[in-house]
Amino acid sequence: MAGLKPLKGMRDFLPPQQIRREVLFEKIKSVFRRHGFDPIETPAIESWDVLSGKYGAEEKLIYRFRDRGDREVGLRYDLTVPLARFFAANQGNLPRPFKRYQIQPVWRAEKPQKGRYREFYQCDIDTIGSKNSLSDAQIIAAIRDALVELGLSDFTIRVNHRQFLRAIAHRFGLEGDMEVEMARILDKLDKVGLDGIRKLYLEKGFDEGVVNTILGLIEESPSIERVFEFVGDAGREAFDNLGDVFRYLDMLGVREAVFDISLARGLDYYTGMVFEIVLNNLKIGSVAGGGRYDGLIEVFTKYPVPAVGGSIGIDRLMTAMEELGLLKEIPSTYTQVLIAYRNASPEMMEYVFRVRNMLDFLNVDVYSGDADLRGQLSYASSKGVRWVVIVGEDEVQKGTVGVRDMESREQVEVPLNELADYFRMRNS
Amino acid sequence: MAGLKPLKGMRDFLPPQQIRREVLFEKIKSVFRRHGFDPIETPAIESWDVLSGKYGAEEKLIYRFRDRGDREVGLRYDLTVPLARFFAANQGNLPRPFKRYQIQPVWRAEKPQKGRYREFYQCDIDTIGSKNSLSDAQIIAAIRDALVELGLSDFTIRVNHRQFLRAIAHRFGLEGDMEVEMARILDKLDKVGLDGIRKLYLEKGFDEGVVNTILGLIEESPSIERVFEFVGDAGREAFDNLGDVFRYLDMLGVREAVFDISLARGLDYYTGMVFEIVLNNLKIGSVAGGGRYDGLIEVFTKYPVPAVGGSIGIDRLMTAMEELGLLKEIPSTYTQVLIAYRNASPEMMEYVFRVRNMLDFLNVDVYSGDADLRGQLSYASSKGVRWVVIVGEDEVQKGTVGVRDMESREQVEVPLNELADYFRMRNS
């Protein structure tokens, strides 16, 4: 018999953790709905044909196996490729543009390490079927508003456009691998600084003059206009798109967005605007990101379909919220009141249920084990229940209950006819 | 390239379906919380050692494979065995009794047929660590209240006790396979009737005198007292337990429960009370069921731990609710208002976002594609949006908007300063 713990890189979520996750997901969903996104779900298992060839070198991390019908299948690696398959399969029944959110687990056979898991939830929104810059802005605004709804305020939204990076590369004759390498190294600016980047470029055999010119531009923290001036007409689409995106973001009340030419984003399939949200003053990396990927859906539809999307990194976000003290208000149980009793005689239990039915506007746990009153109080505290209503022979006779606040450890006697009001006052 | 459809027996959920599921799950969860249950989640993939030997002949339906580290693993087949593993692994950090709900998908490589899928959600509540009859009653009451919350009213909760069935079998010297067979055939009473059952018993080689006596008892629709009289002291625990369960159900306001000696329930691991909820006048089978299983957790803890639980069959429940017209009120989109516009000039879009920000208490989709107004209206209707707010040059100049009710197809002009109230009235 193997250990009782979950497999490496997988997790059990106990009630205190799961409640936090439920609260987070509910808030995020409510914001996505507010921006006009609707939910979908797709199966965990996809045909291998659907998954293969979409993730580059990461393909080897897919959980791949043969099912009982000897079909080659795999567990979904992200929610984007399944979305593309979904869109192609169901396009006749979907509005266009199609705006969806999706919150489901994905599986990656990665080497587990701090904050990296083999099963984790992705929380995605995407708009399929629109090239309009407003759809780019809506993705950023919806994710930004979700973070604000969760209580975050001190963050920066870095925005760039892949065409700018391509245009810079092409200006210096960098194509193919070298073009990819240029962007990949630039993306490390945050981590290694200008000197670190210079070193990486030179190591990879970039011409020193080219490197100097590129780093000179980066050092300026150039505006959109400045980059457009630098690359010329090859950056026209990026220039127009980003201008619209920032204008719409302003109308949508998003004040945290800044243009940042050093942002590249890892994924190969991005073609246009890319963004990333980083929490200021927290060394935790980005908590959300995304961009436009106008080439991916076509793999399934066989005709071009533009798309833009973004994703919130739930695990990292929870770590950040924990550090910022934003999870303190979330209780470790949904139960608001435990009803405890001195013995389980039929008369006592009649009274217990009378009390319970008076409190039907609350989450009430009637103790269902066999411990004595002391054990019932320790049940309440191990579960994290704030209030315990205590019933004994005296209380039954007097028509009262004891109400114990497990936080202050104070206990008062409350007549039955005042009990509902007692909690209504404390619950509002 | 394989087809674009999901694999056989798996499903894509489009927004109208997924919204129904979300609404259902939220209501069910709120009722479970009200009864003192808290949520957990466990990983989709479990070690093969955890899954094997728990499901009898059904074990061959588990999706089983070797992971990248060459470990034998499988996708979870239900939520009960993972719960048992979870409890054993985390018992030091759990209150006892431990009351949890869990709503997650499971996978079974079954032959797909109408209403049977290879991936489907289970929706379970269980109480671990209590032999108290109140914990049996709470499971039944929580599931019953969830059905009531969903609008169901005409149903019957059939309740029985495995000890009664065991005692009847033993009275006639039926042991082992014959004991199991007796209960298994009895369970078919609903489907094949008394004569059908007689035939099945005789086919299996049961003694005709024994069969007549058993069927005589069944034909009476005997009360708990009558069965106790029939089996004698071997049914003492069942008699006491069921008496308490029905008394508690009464206090919990559950009026739909009836004792039914013919109920057996399929799963091998039940040891005590078993129950099943069937919708009256619908030929759809049971929508929920469960029972006490005091032997399963021990497999992982290595010491006895009593447990009782139940499960709602979401897919069947949705089919029933559909037939009963209980899903009609659930909209096919969360979006309440679409804002449509004649053109996307900067001035127009400024106005569009002024309108949007006035309606921030609603789920508002600002059209983000490139269609003309006519196309935008057809987007609204394909998405299922009830209200379209229309903005054109005239409206901008006059400080009004057009509001079109997509149901009645009526359109009115509303001044901007009355717009929020217009929707507040229609939304309450």
Side-chain angles (χ1 to χ4, degrees):
Chain A
M1 172 95 207
L4 296 169
K5 296 271 160 223
L7 289 165
K8 212 158 50 149
M10 315 229 167
R11 288 167 290 174
D12 285 335
F13 294 104
L14 276 67
Q17 298 146 2
Q18 185 57 19
I19 290 171
R20 289 173 170 199
R21 285 158 45 91
E22 284 193 1
V23 169
L24 239 72
F25 289 148
E26 275 319 303
K27 288 193 174 176
I28 291 170
K29 286 195 228 175
S30 76
V31 172
F32 288 171
R33 293 169 190 164
R34 212 150 274 271
H35 282 268
F37 292 85
D38 280 324
I40 70 161
E41 285 200 356
T42 62
I45 308 174
E46 294 277 1
S47 152
W48 180 251
D49 283 340
V50 167
L51 301 175
S52 67
K54 314 296 187 301
Y55 300 106
E58 294 182 29
E59 181 166 308
K60 65 175 189 302
L61 301 180
I62 299 175
Y63 281 91
R64 176 180 177 181
F65 55 99
R66 288 185 174 276
D67 74 5
R68 295 269 161 179
D70 209 33
R71 275 171 294 268
E72 273 227 273
V73 300
L75 296 182
R76 68 176 162 247
Y77 180 83
D78 68 4
L79 302 179
T80 309
V81 169
L83 170 66
R85 199 259 319 132
F86 172 99
F87 181 82
N90 299 292
Q91 52 186 310
N93 296 310
L94 301 174
R96 192 177 290 205
F98 177 55
K99 297 171 68 171
R100 84 88 174 80
Y101 67 82
Q102 187 172 358
I103 301 181
Q104 289 191 280
V106 301
W107 295 270
R108 298 181 179 184
E110 299 209 67
K111 207 173 165 58
Q113 45 180 276
K114 194 171 177 299
R116 181 177 290 177
Y117 303 100
R118 290 184 169 175
E119 176 183 66
F120 59 96
Y121 274 67
Q122 284 201 332
C123 175
D124 281 19
I125 47 171
D126 292 82
T127 297
I128 299 186
S130 171
K131 270 190 99 64
N132 192 320
S133 306
L134 177 52
S135 54
D136 303 56
Q138 281 180 345
I139 294 288
I140 296 175
I143 290 185
R144 178 266 184 196
D145 285 356
L147 299 185
V148 170
E149 177 76 20
L150 293 172
L152 294 159
S153 52
D154 192 16
F155 55 81
T156 302
I157 307 173
R158 304 166 65 203
V159 182
N160 195 10
H161 199 291
R162 280 286 178 101
Q163 197 191 40
F164 273 164
L165 295 173
R166 213 156 43 234
I168 292 173
H170 292 181
R171 208 188 116 160
F172 299 109
L174 305 169
E175 306 262 356
D177 281 356
M178 287 301 268
E179 178 187 332
V180 171
E181 204 58 47
M182 188 208 78
R184 203 183 59 78
I185 291 175
L186 197 54
D187 208 37
K188 297 185 194 290
L189 180 63
D190 266 11
K191 285 188 194 130
V192 302
L194 269 177
D195 286 342
I197 284 195
R198 177 188 306 275
K199 210 174 138 221
L200 288 169
Y201 275 134
L202 296 177
E203 276 171 18
K204 286 282 174 190
F206 281 76
D207 176 89
E208 195 167 352
V210 169
V211 172
N212 285 339
T213 315
I214 293 177
L215 293 191
L217 177 70
I218 303 303
E219 209 168 3
E220 287 179 41
S221 295
S223 66
I224 297 174
E225 291 71 21
R226 174 70 185 98
V227 174
F228 184 41
E229 190 186 287
F230 186 85
V231 298
D233 232 34
R236 164 71 63 189
E237 198 187 310
F239 178 72
D240 289 344
N241 173 241
L242 289 182
D244 286 346
V245 168
F246 276 93
R247 195 162 52 86
Y248 285 131
L249 286 178
D250 194 50
M251 294 182 199
L252 282 156
V254 176
R255 304 272 172 270
E256 300 85 356
V258 296
F259 172 68
D260 185 341
I261 189 62
S262 75
L263 178 73
R265 302 279 304 158
L267 278 166
D268 287 346
Y269 54 58
Y270 289 125
T271 55
M273 179 280 292
V274 287
F275 75 99
E276 188 170 277
I277 305 187
V278 285
L279 303 181
N280 302 333
N281 310 317
L282 275 188
K283 285 193 174 35
I284 204 163
S286 67
V287 293
R292 178 167 283 281
Y293 52 99
D294 285 347
L296 179 64
I297 311 285
E298 182 171 7
V299 176
F300 295 95
T301 53
K302 308 297 178 199
Y303 66 95
V305 179
V308 59
S311 189
I312 298 179
I314 292 299
D315 289 307
R316 224 182 248 181
L317 182 62
M318 288 201 56
T319 306
M321 290 178 67
E322 175 104 55
E323 279 189 41
L324 294 168
L326 294 171
L327 299 173
K328 280 185 313 210
E329 299 299 308
I330 302 176
S332 59
T333 175
Y334 282 117
T335 298
Q336 294 160 301
V337 173
L338 173 76
I339 306 185
Y341 39 88
R342 279 205 186 277
N343 67 61
S345 71
E347 303 68 39
M348 186 79 79
M349 295 313 289
E350 289 279 1
Y351 193 80
V352 161
F353 281 98
R354 255 180 81 198
V355 173
R356 180 213 175 245
N357 294 334
M358 285 176 160
L359 299 178
D360 62 0
F361 54 96
L362 295 173
N363 295 333
V364 176
D365 190 3
V366 177
Y367 180 73
S368 61
D370 295 297
D372 61 11
L373 198 51
R374 199 189 149 125
Q376 296 178 45
L377 288 173
S378 100
Y379 168 78
S381 78
S382 84
K383 190 172 175 178
V385 184
R386 171 77 186 270
W387 304 96
V388 182
V389 166
I390 300 172
V391 176
E393 287 85 353
D394 282 3
E395 285 80 8
V396 174
Q397 206 170 348
K398 286 193 282 180
T400 63
V401 296
V403 177
R404 189 177 173 89
D405 180 343
M406 297 297 282
E407 260 175 38
S408 68
R409 289 158 182 241
E410 276 166 38
Q411 187 169 329
V412 294
E413 193 171 352
V414 180
L416 222 48
N417 59 6
E418 293 173 18
L419 187 63
D421 283 345
Y422 185 88
F423 281 112
R424 279 212 176 85
M425 271 175 51
R426 270 151 193 85
N427 202 37
S428 59
Chain B
M1 174 94 206
L4 296 170
K5 296 272 161 224
L7 289 165
K8 209 158 52 146
M10 316 230 168
R11 290 168 287 175
D12 285 334
F13 294 104
L14 276 67
Q17 298 147 1
Q18 184 57 19
I19 290 170
R20 288 172 170 203
R21 286 159 44 90
E22 285 194 359
V23 169
L24 242 70
F25 289 147
E26 275 318 303
K27 287 192 175 178
I28 292 170
K29 285 195 230 175
S30 76
V31 173
F32 288 172
R33 293 169 190 165
R34 213 151 273 270
H35 283 268
F37 292 85
D38 281 322
I40 69 161
E41 285 200 356
T42 62
I45 308 174
E46 294 276 2
S47 151
W48 180 250
D49 283 338
V50 167
L51 301 173
S52 67
K54 313 298 187 303
Y55 301 105
E58 294 181 32
E59 180 167 308
K60 65 177 189 301
L61 301 179
I62 299 175
Y63 281 91
R64 177 180 176 179
F65 54 97
R66 289 186 173 275
D67 74 6
R68 295 270 161 181
D70 208 35
R71 274 170 295 267
E72 273 227 273
V73 300
L75 297 181
R76 69 175 162 247
Y77 180 82
D78 68 3
L79 302 179
T80 310
V81 169
L83 170 65
R85 201 257 321 132
F86 172 98
F87 180 81
N90 299 291
Q91 51 185 314
N93 297 310
L94 301 174
R96 190 178 290 204
F98 176 55
K99 298 172 67 173
R100 82 91 173 78
Y101 67 82
Q102 186 172 359
I103 301 180
Q104 289 192 277
V106 301
W107 295 270
R108 299 181 178 183
E110 299 209 66
K111 208 173 162 59
Q113 45 180 277
K114 194 171 176 299
R116 181 177 290 177
Y117 304 99
R118 290 185 169 174
E119 176 183 64
F120 59 97
Y121 273 67
Q122 284 202 332
C123 174
D124 281 19
I125 47 169
D126 291 83
T127 297
I128 299 187
S130 171
K131 269 191 100 63
N132 192 320
S133 305
L134 178 52
S135 55
D136 303 55
Q138 281 179 345
I139 294 289
I140 297 176
I143 291 185
R144 177 265 183 197
D145 286 356
L147 299 185
V148 170
E149 178 77 21
L150 293 173
L152 294 159
S153 51
D154 193 14
F155 54 82
T156 302
I157 308 173
R158 304 166 65 204
V159 182
N160 196 8
H161 198 291
R162 279 288 177 100
Q163 198 193 39
F164 274 164
L165 296 172
R166 211 153 46 232
I168 293 173
H170 291 181
R171 209 186 116 159
F172 300 109
L174 305 168
E175 306 262 355
D177 280 358
M178 288 300 268
E179 178 188 332
V180 171
E181 205 58 48
M182 188 207 77
R184 203 184 59 79
I185 291 177
L186 197 54
D187 209 39
K188 297 185 193 290
L189 180 63
D190 266 12
K191 284 188 194 130
V192 303
L194 268 176
D195 287 343
I197 283 193
R198 176 187 307 276
K199 210 176 136 218
L200 288 169
Y201 276 134
L202 296 176
E203 277 171 18
K204 286 283 172 187
F206 281 74
D207 176 87
E208 196 166 351
V210 169
V211 171
N212 285 339
T213 315
I214 293 176
L215 293 190
L217 177 71
I218 304 303
E219 209 168 2
E220 287 179 41
S221 295
S223 65
I224 297 173
E225 291 71 19
R226 174 71 185 98
V227 174
F228 183 40
E229 191 186 286
F230 186 85
V231 298
D233 233 35
R236 164 71 63 186
E237 197 188 310
F239 178 71
D240 289 343
N241 172 241
L242 289 182
D244 286 345
V245 168
F246 275 92
R247 195 162 52 84
Y248 284 130
L249 286 177
D250 195 52
M251 295 183 199
L252 282 156
V254 177
R255 306 271 172 269
E256 300 85 357
V258 296
F259 172 68
D260 186 340
I261 189 63
S262 76
L263 177 72
R265 302 279 303 158
L267 278 166
D268 287 346
Y269 54 60
Y270 289 125
T271 55
M273 179 280 292
V274 287
F275 75 99
E276 189 169 275
I277 305 185
V278 286
L279 303 180
N280 304 330
N281 310 317
L282 274 188
K283 285 192 176 31
I284 205 163
S286 67
V287 294
R292 177 166 284 282
Y293 52 101
D294 285 346
L296 179 64
I297 311 285
E298 184 172 4
V299 175
F300 296 95
T301 53
K302 307 299 179 197
Y303 67 95
V305 178
V308 59
S311 187
I312 299 178
I314 293 298
D315 290 307
R316 223 182 249 180
L317 183 64
M318 289 201 54
T319 307
M321 290 178 68
E322 176 102 56
E323 280 190 39
L324 294 167
L326 294 172
L327 298 173
K328 280 187 312 214
E329 300 299 309
I330 302 176
S332 59
T333 175
Y334 283 116
T335 298
Q336 295 159 301
V337 173
L338 174 76
I339 305 185
Y341 39 87
R342 280 205 188 275
N343 67 60
S345 70
E347 304 68 36
M348 185 78 80
M349 294 313 287
E350 289 277 0
Y351 193 80
V352 160
F353 280 98
R354 254 179 80 198
V355 172
R356 179 211 175 250
N357 294 334
M358 285 175 160
L359 299 177
D360 62 0
F361 54 96
L362 295 173
N363 295 333
V364 176
D365 190 3
V366 177
Y367 180 74
S368 60
D370 295 298
D372 61 11
L373 199 50
R374 198 189 153 127
Q376 295 177 45
L377 287 173
S378 102
Y379 167 79
S381 79
S382 82
K383 189 171 175 179
V385 184
R386 171 78 187 270
W387 304 96
V388 182
V389 166
I390 301 172
V391 176
E393 286 85 353
D394 282 3
E395 286 80 8
V396 174
Q397 205 169 352
K398 286 193 281 179
T400 65
V401 296
V403 177
R404 189 176 172 89
D405 179 345
M406 297 297 284
E407 258 174 40
S408 68
R409 290 160 180 240
E410 278 166 36
Q411 186 167 329
V412 293
E413 192 172 352
V414 180
L416 223 49
N417 59 6
E418 293 173 16
L419 186 65
D421 283 344
Y422 184 88
F423 281 111
R424 280 216 174 82
M425 270 175 52
R426 271 150 192 85
N427 201 36
S428 58

